[in-house]
Amino acid sequence: MSQETYELKAEARERVGKGSARELRRNGLIPAVIYGDKQAPIAIALNTNEVTKRIHAGGFMTTVATIEVDGKKYKVLPKDYQLDPVRDFTMHVDFLRVSGNTQVTVAIPVHFINEDKSQGLKVGGVLNIVRHEVEVHCPADAIPEFFNIDLSGKKIGDSIHISEVTLPKGVTTVIDRDFTIATIIAPAAGIDESAAEGEAEA
């Protein structure tokens, strides 16, 4: 499962548009919208520092949150956010309403483990990561935090495909084929022959 859920307090926005959005930002707030679940969208304002802290903590786009608006609570999943290209502060956030049976599409980060047990990397090979994230369909209340890719025994020339990852129940990949996540390639300078011989003898 993804990170633990968290709660944010918000206030409803009466006015929308660029002028009111600028005014909100001047007052330390971020304009945001809660939409989906066949209900009317709700325009809200959130504390800038709270949201920025959540974004920088990691897992923002894969963690279900609760937003309280004027005493009413909504379970949501962040779907998109915009950063100011110059000053790197959050400009706007879109949240999707979710319930227990809501199916969502999210990008799950890939972590590589046991690099020290990969023969190819030991002799100077390079891990060429094709996909840093894997897009999946899954229940909103069962979003994986990350996928572990085991590099044990992988040699130069080996490819790691999605079929080597055990997906949790109810989780399916968006791409319907056995795609490559990473490969182990020979280094530009050539293989460390002494290390390769040591591996062969081991």
Side-chain angles (χ1 to χ4, degrees):
M1 264 293 287
S2 191
Q3 301 182 8
E4 287 183 20
T5 186
Y6 58 91
E7 192 165 309
L8 294 170
K9 286 198 185 303
E11 53 189 67
R13 280 192 289 148
E14 298 298 325
R15 296 184 300 125
V16 294
K18 286 187 177 177
S20 64
R22 276 197 296 269
E23 188 181 332
L24 284 173
R25 293 186 194 109
R26 277 198 299 271
N27 294 325
L29 298 170
I30 295 171
V33 174
I34 299 174
Y35 70 97
D37 207 21
K38 297 176 183 169
Q39 298 177 48
I42 304 169
I44 59 171
L46 293 160
N47 181 284
T48 301
N49 291 340
E50 278 291 308
V51 175
T52 302
K53 193 165 68 179
R54 291 293 172 187
I55 290 172
H56 289 306
F60 182 65
M61 302 293 285
T62 56
T63 304
V64 172
T66 301
I67 295 181
E68 185 179 326
V69 187
D70 299 334
K72 189 172 180 184
K73 295 188 176 185
Y74 301 89
K75 273 183 80 173
V76 298
L77 181 70
K79 286 306 288 179
D80 193 23
Y81 63 90
Q82 293 168 298
L83 295 177
D84 182 281
V86 179
R87 290 171 289 175
D88 196 36
F89 67 82
T90 312
M91 301 273 290
H92 187 273
V93 187
D94 288 339
F95 294 98
L96 176 70
R97 284 187 191 90
V98 297
S99 56
N101 56 6
T102 304
Q103 288 285 319
V104 295
T105 302
V106 286
I108 306 299
V110 172
H111 292 181
F112 295 91
I113 59 172
N114 294 325
E115 292 188 27
D116 58 327
K117 295 178 182 172
S118 160
Q119 292 159 297
L121 296 181
K122 276 186 183 176
V123 299
V126 177
L127 179 64
N128 174 44
I129 301 172
V130 179
R131 293 176 186 275
H132 290 271
E133 296 178 323
V134 173
E135 263 204 314
V136 300
H137 301 301
C138 63
D141 58 356
I143 300 172
E145 189 172 351
F146 53 81
F147 293 134
N148 272 335
I149 309 293
D150 191 349
L151 298 176
S152 299
K154 297 295 180 186
K155 301 185 285 294
I156 286 175
D158 284 354
S159 296
I160 300 109
H161 295 91
I162 189 62
S163 57
E164 295 181 48
V165 178
T166 304
L167 299 176
K169 186 181 176 186
V171 177
T172 58
T173 56
V174 171
I175 299 172
D176 189 23
R177 59 182 165 77
D178 193 16
F179 54 85
T180 302
I181 295 173
T183 57
I184 296 180
I185 58 175
I191 297 169
D192 180 345
E193 294 293 342
S194 59
E197 285 168 15
E199 279 297 307
E201 290 167 10

